[in-house]
Amino acid sequence: MIFDRKTTVSYNKANGRLLLKGVIYMDKKTTKERILETVIDLFSEKGYDGVGVDEIAESIGMKGPSLYRHFKGKEAILDAVISIGEDRYEDNFGSADKLDYVPESMDKLIEMSLQQINFTMHDPMIIKFRKIFAMEQFRNERIAELTTKHTITGLMMMYAKIFSEMMQQGTLREGDPEILALEYLAPVSMMIHMVDRQPEKEDMAMDVIKRHFVHFANIYNTESF
């Protein structure tokens, strides 16, 4: 944890709910944590290439050379930032490898998905990481891979596993789980990217997402047949 004060959001895999854990206070941040907090802000505003070591150091009241006591260089700082983003996604969103909860109905599926979307759209750190990934995905191979994972392949694998389990439960119509996952997720990704660019369209985006989920449920719910 690198912030003095923030509202943490966690995903309870036992019941498929995201939990707001309130405001957490920490007595003191380490210098390394202060550097990373500052860097996440700067990279999300200016991109990796737009921020120099001297600017990072100056932002926390240090001299440029002092930064090398904590990191070997700017690339090492970026690696640490990426690791923080990875951990936050994994801890709060889950993955195909960490899937402890499978919805027992279409209603529960929609409820879980809306809670995940709420986390994705409103968690301050995740918003900053999406901005960093959007700017750096064409310049950094690791970020390109992570962007693909978090926007396409990782989500597809996780939901394909969920859908496969739901098919076995008899709550989802039989079909190709990966194709169903793409069908379910693609409109959501489009709406989230639109809101990133135009936050004022969030209400419209959420209305589209909810109608899409209901449409999907009406088509693939086994109770409809």
Side-chain angles (χ1 to χ4, degrees):
M1 190 92 48
I2 65 171
F3 295 104
D4 281 300
R5 177 182 177 181
K6 71 183 184 66
T7 300
T8 56
V9 186
S10 65
Y11 180 54
N12 186 331
K13 295 176 182 176
N15 60 20
R17 294 183 181 277
L18 287 172
L19 303 176
L20 295 178
K21 292 188 175 179
V23 178
I24 293 177
Y25 294 87
M26 293 182 68
D27 294 330
K28 186 179 180 181
K29 288 177 290 189
T30 67
T31 301
K32 209 165 192 176
E33 288 170 342
R34 289 172 57 217
I35 292 169
L36 291 173
E37 177 182 348
T38 298
V39 164
I40 290 169
D41 287 338
L42 291 173
F43 284 0
S44 68
E45 294 168 4
K46 301 181 179 181
Y48 176 76
D49 289 337
V51 180
V53 170
D54 288 340
E55 182 178 1
I56 295 169
E58 185 178 336
S59 296
I60 59 170
M62 295 174 60
K63 298 291 186 182
S66 300
L67 210 62
Y68 295 101
R69 296 176 189 168
H70 306 279
F71 295 96
K72 291 182 179 180
K74 202 169 131 186
E75 187 68 31
I77 296 175
L78 179 63
D79 287 342
V81 166
I82 290 172
S83 294
I84 291 171
E86 274 286 86
D87 290 344
R88 190 149 184 86
Y89 270 110
E90 191 80 9
D91 291 344
N92 291 283
F93 213 89
S95 67
D97 295 327
K98 292 185 178 181
L99 188 63
D100 299 327
Y101 172 79
V102 176
E104 66 270 20
S105 69
M106 282 297 208
D107 287 342
K108 290 294 185 182
L109 171 68
I110 292 173
E111 180 182 356
M112 181 191 76
S113 298
L114 289 175
Q115 289 166 346
Q116 290 176 333
I117 292 166
N118 182 61
F119 166 73
T120 300
M121 281 188 172
H122 298 119
D123 182 83
M125 187 185 292
I126 292 301
I127 292 170
K128 290 173 185 177
F129 275 106
R130 271 206 309 281
K131 290 179 180 178
I132 294 171
F133 285 8
M135 286 187 280
E136 300 302 325
Q137 61 184 311
F138 302 105
R139 296 191 285 255
N140 183 292
E141 185 175 347
R142 184 179 175 192
I143 290 180
E145 291 176 357
L146 290 176
T147 303
T148 299
K149 174 184 175 181
H150 291 302
T151 59
I152 304 173
T153 56
L155 283 171
M156 184 183 74
M157 289 173 62
M158 183 173 73
Y159 269 86
K161 190 170 182 178
I162 290 171
F163 289 163
S164 181
E165 294 286 340
M166 291 181 71
M167 288 174 195
Q168 292 180 33
Q169 292 174 358
T171 53
L172 184 69
R173 184 182 173 189
E174 290 290 333
D176 185 324
E178 290 187 359
I179 297 301
L180 288 181
L182 283 173
E183 181 179 343
Y184 188 75
L185 295 167
V188 177
S189 180
M190 291 170 60
M191 292 297 104
I192 289 175
H193 286 305
M194 181 183 72
V195 173
D196 281 343
R197 294 187 297 270
Q198 297 174 288
E200 71 278 5
K201 293 190 175 182
E202 180 178 338
D203 288 345
M204 184 269 280
M206 288 307 303
D207 177 66
V208 171
I209 289 170
K210 289 174 183 177
R211 287 191 286 120
H212 163 62
F213 285 163
V214 170
H215 176 71
F216 182 93
N218 287 338
I219 293 174
Y220 294 108
N221 191 344
T222 54
E223 295 178 1
S224 302
F225 293 88

